[in-house]
Amino acid sequence: MSSVGVCNSINLKGSVSIIKEFFNYCINNILFQRGIYPSDSFTAVQNYGLTILMSKDERLKKYLQIIFDQMQTFLLQRKLHRVVMALIRMDTKETIERWEFRIDCDKENIDDEKKIDVDLKVIQTQIRDLIRQITASITYLPLIDNPVSFDILFFTDKDTQLPSADWQDSISHIIPNAEEVQLRSFNTKIHNLKASVAYKQNG
């Protein structure tokens, strides 16, 4: 007997929805794991077969919703190539941690409506393994013992039109002489996402 997976069809919009949902859970998870917000401002939810902590802070939720909605627009336009989440010491303005997510899209062969057969269970498993790895990273990442803020950057095509004056060019938050760890990836067959984290060693 051969094993058979659960096949589904997705198009560009469906792939973008998967990526947008991943980032919602992923960024909330990093904010919780790295102690950027108080632990009691998060609530536990279930997804990908995991318990993930999600912020209850209404201001943060509104801010992230704006970020994710614009991410969706750029992805549908096939103009977004990298998402970076930088953690920045508030006193020195020094970037101490940099989470990078590279997003490759087959622009030539994917149109808006073309559907591709995928095994959604496999994609969910890949996402679960990546989020687990991010959660486990606290075992080797340096302790954050100073107040930090975070910034989310989009790396897009040069001709990308910005949605409003609230969006502007930013520095890349590269960390000199950083330690870097390559993390897992997931692939929707339309988008391939590869993750890594770079961090400043204490001392």
Side-chain angles (χ1 to χ4, degrees):
M1 289 181 64
S2 61
S3 61
V4 179
V6 179
C7 286
N8 302 84
S9 295
I10 62 170
N11 56 12
L12 175 64
K13 188 175 181 180
S15 181
V16 168
S17 294
I18 290 171
I19 291 175
K20 180 182 176 183
E21 180 185 66
F22 160 74
F23 273 110
N24 185 25
Y25 287 103
C26 174
I27 288 176
N28 272 276
N29 186 41
I30 293 171
L31 291 173
F32 174 78
Q33 296 297 335
R34 304 307 285 142
I36 312 304
Y37 287 83
S39 59
D40 61 3
S41 68
F42 291 80
T43 186
V45 301
Q46 298 290 322
N47 201 7
Y48 311 119
L50 299 171
T51 300
I52 304 174
L53 279 298
M54 301 291 288
S55 176
K56 298 184 290 184
D57 185 298
E58 289 301 325
R59 285 182 61 190
L60 176 59
K61 286 165 67 176
K62 286 180 181 178
Y63 168 74
L64 291 178
Q65 189 61 52
I66 292 169
I67 294 290
F68 298 141
D69 286 349
Q70 189 56 51
M71 176 190 296
Q72 176 175 290
T73 298
F74 285 154
L75 285 169
L76 288 171
Q77 294 170 345
R78 304 179 190 81
K79 290 184 176 292
L80 180 62
H81 309 294
R82 269 188 293 163
V83 176
V84 167
M85 181 179 183
L87 305 188
I88 305 146
R89 272 186 59 160
M90 295 178 72
D91 55 354
T92 63
K93 307 303 180 187
E94 179 183 26
T95 302
I96 60 170
E97 209 165 281
R98 188 177 188 273
W99 298 83
E100 180 169 299
F101 304 89
R102 292 180 177 269
I103 304 168
D104 294 320
C105 178
D106 187 347
K107 292 186 178 183
E108 301 300 323
N109 298 319
I110 301 300
D111 60 40
D112 290 357
E113 300 304 324
K114 180 179 179 181
K115 291 193 173 183
I116 293 179
D117 289 335
V118 297
D119 188 335
L120 287 178
K121 190 174 180 181
V122 168
I123 298 172
Q124 295 266 318
T125 298
Q126 291 174 345
I127 293 174
R128 181 193 67 201
D129 291 345
L130 173 52
I131 290 181
R132 273 182 173 162
Q133 194 178 28
I134 290 170
T135 301
S137 67
I138 195 170
T139 60
Y140 59 80
L141 290 172
L143 178 68
I144 296 177
D145 51 10
N146 293 283
V148 300
S149 61
F150 75 97
D151 197 6
I152 295 176
L153 314 176
F154 292 161
F155 290 75
T156 61
D157 290 345
K158 289 185 177 180
D159 63 350
T160 303
Q161 199 164 15
L162 297 179
S164 70
D166 294 332
W167 292 78
Q168 50 192 287
D169 289 338
S170 173
I171 62 172
S172 296
H173 289 287
I174 299 295
I175 303 172
N177 304 313
E179 295 287 335
E180 186 169 355
V181 178
Q182 297 298 319
L183 303 174
R184 293 179 181 270
S185 62
F186 69 86
N187 193 335
T188 68
K189 293 190 178 180
I190 294 174
H191 294 98
N192 185 33
L193 184 144
K194 297 178 181 177
S196 65
V197 59
Y199 57 94
K200 177 180 172 58
Q201 284 279 26
N202 285 339

